[in-house]
């Protein structure tokens, strides 16, 4: 082991000697001397400890260095002789060292990412969405099929029969109503999930939208801690309100060509609207809602210290007492949209009373689950046990509230 490390140091030292010689040669040459680019490439290769590439560059330099003096050619020849006499590093040691470097960099990145996500959620969302340009601009039905690992004719065939691939079920709401679930069949759901993961999650969304990949409900609630007033709004029949026309418009405004718009709209809609139960519906609904949320922000105007978050069909706005005056302008925005606000679920909560956002009670900086949530969790544990996926999710949410304190 000692011999390997000493030979590695010797190799580095000899490479550094060659590098110094070439740098001195470069300093002595005029700016427009032929071969300067090859010499520069050789120097960069030696800085990266790539002796083989430096060898190729210097060999090419000798072949075209007609204006070099004898002394300068001799320096290049001596460096070449020195490079060719340096023993090559053990291949497996290089692979192992590179793998260790990448692993350490990945661990450091994950640690920094976790801390940024916890301390600066808005900065984390903006930085994580920075490389997300508009992937729909360069996408065609053929390339989409390749991305989803299927053939284009099969994808069009699936789009044609998609309306017949939904299973309808009904779930009772806590308020006595009934929620209709339109769940896609396994074949269609697989394609919708791939479409969401490989295309939609790369589309940049407004930072105020939560409930999409890379966001947490807890971060949405924490925006409204220690605010004089919190106002919550609810959109009625959210997914059915988004028709195929809104889906097409949302895709077109993000650069998708007409044929691609038609294909995606057929794969993701049911009875000319978004189905409640498809994995793509929350993201497409958020895309359709985004222009109207911008108008809501405009309605808030220049009010200081205001925050807004959108979590699926729930909207929460917090700030000074003056935000209550924006309620009518906000209602006017939704009256000119395909969405309808649920009049019975609009709440205005001042700091002296219990403020509830997304089913979480806000007490200063402390977040607590509502009594209704605790009761429902207890009932679920008794009926299904702690191993049930729904119960595990509720327990994880309860833990995240404790950790956010």
């Amino acid at each position: 082991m000692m011999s390997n490390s000493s030979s590695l140091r010797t190799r580095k030292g000899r490479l550094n000697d060659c590098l110094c010689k070439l740098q001195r040669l470069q300093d002595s040459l005029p700016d427009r001397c032929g071969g300067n680019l090859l010499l520069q490439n050789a120097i960069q290769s030696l800085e990266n400890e790539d002796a083989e590439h430096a060898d190729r560059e210097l060999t090419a330099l000798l072949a075209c260095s007609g204006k070099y003096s004898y002394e300068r050619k001799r320096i290049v020849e001596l460096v070449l002789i020195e490079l060719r006499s340096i023993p090559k590093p053990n291949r497996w040691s290089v692979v192992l060292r590179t793998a260790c470097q990448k692993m350490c960099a990945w661990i450091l990145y994950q640690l920094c990412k976790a801390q940024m996500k916890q301390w600066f959620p808005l900065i984390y969302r903006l930085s994580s969405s920075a490389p997300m340009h508009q992937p729909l601009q360069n996408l065609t039905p053929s390339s989409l099929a390749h991305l989803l690992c299927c053939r284009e004719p099969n994808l069009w065939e699936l789009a044609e029969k998609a309306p017949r691939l939904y299973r309808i079920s009904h779930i009772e709401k806590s308020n006595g109503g009934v929620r209709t679930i339109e769940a896609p069949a396994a074949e269609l759901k697989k394609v919708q999930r791939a479409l969401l993961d490989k295309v939609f999650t790369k589309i940049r969304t407004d930072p105020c939208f939560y409930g999409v990949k890379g966001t947490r409900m807890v971060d949405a609630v924490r925006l409204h801690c220690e605010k004089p007033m919190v106002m919550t709004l609810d959109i009625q029949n959210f997914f059915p309100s988004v028709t195929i026309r809104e889906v097409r418009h949302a895709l077109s405004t993000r650069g998708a060509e007409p044929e691609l718009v038609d294909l995606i709209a057929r794969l993701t809609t049911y009875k000319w609207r978004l189905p409640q139960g498809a994995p793509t519906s929350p993201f497409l609904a958020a895309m359709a809602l985004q222009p109207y949320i911008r108008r809501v922000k405009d309605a808030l105007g220049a009010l200081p210290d205001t925050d807004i978050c959108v979590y699926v069909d729930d909207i929460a706005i917090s700030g000074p007492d003056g935000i209550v005056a924006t309620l009518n302008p906000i209602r006017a925005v939704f009256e000119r949209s395909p969405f309808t606000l649920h009049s019975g679920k609009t709440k205005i909560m001042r700091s002296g009373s219990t403020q509830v956002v997304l089913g979480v009670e806000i007490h200063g900086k402390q977040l607590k689950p509502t009594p209704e949530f605790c009761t429902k969790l207890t009932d679920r544990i008794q009926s299904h046990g702690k191993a049930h996926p729904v119960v595990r999710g509720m327990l994880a949410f309860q833990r995240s509230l404790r950790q956010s304190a």
Side-chain angles (χ1 to χ4, degrees), residues 20 68 74 133 168 237 272 330 360:
C20 292
Y68 273 28
R74 185 61 182 162
H133 48 290
I168 313 301
N237 297 323
W272 310 104
I330 290 172
V360 178

Side-chain angles (χ1 to χ4, degrees), residues 172-228:
E172 290 186 8
K173 295 182 181 179
S174 57
N175 60 3
V178 176
R179 176 179 285 111
T180 301
I181 303 297
E182 297 149 333
E187 180 187 9
L188 180 59
K189 186 175 182 179
K190 181 181 177 182
V191 171
Q192 290 175 344
R193 175 61 64 184
L195 189 61
L196 176 67
D197 293 338
K198 297 182 179 181
V199 180
F200 290 166
T201 53
K202 292 179 173 59
I203 297 175
R204 194 169 190 169
T205 58
D206 193 297
C208 73
F209 278 83
Y210 291 79
V212 295
K213 190 174 181 179
T215 65
R216 299 189 308 163
M217 182 191 286
V218 175
D219 296 330
V221 178
R222 287 180 65 184
L223 288 173
H224 310 290
C225 289
E226 298 185 303
K227 293 294 184 72

Side-chain angles (χ1 to χ4, degrees), residues 98-114:
T98 304
C100 289
Q101 289 173 349
K102 288 184 177 180
M103 180 63 74
C104 291
W106 181 83
I107 292 172
L108 182 62
Y109 166 74
Q110 293 296 329
L111 290 173
C112 294
K113 178 181 173 182

Side-chain angles (χ1 to χ4, degrees), residues 349-367:
M349 299 160 282
R350 290 179 169 79
S351 57
S353 60
T354 302
Q355 295 176 330
V356 180
V357 176
L358 303 177
V360 178
E361 290 185 358
I362 299 176
H363 300 275
K365 288 186 177 181
Q366 200 171 26
L367 306 179

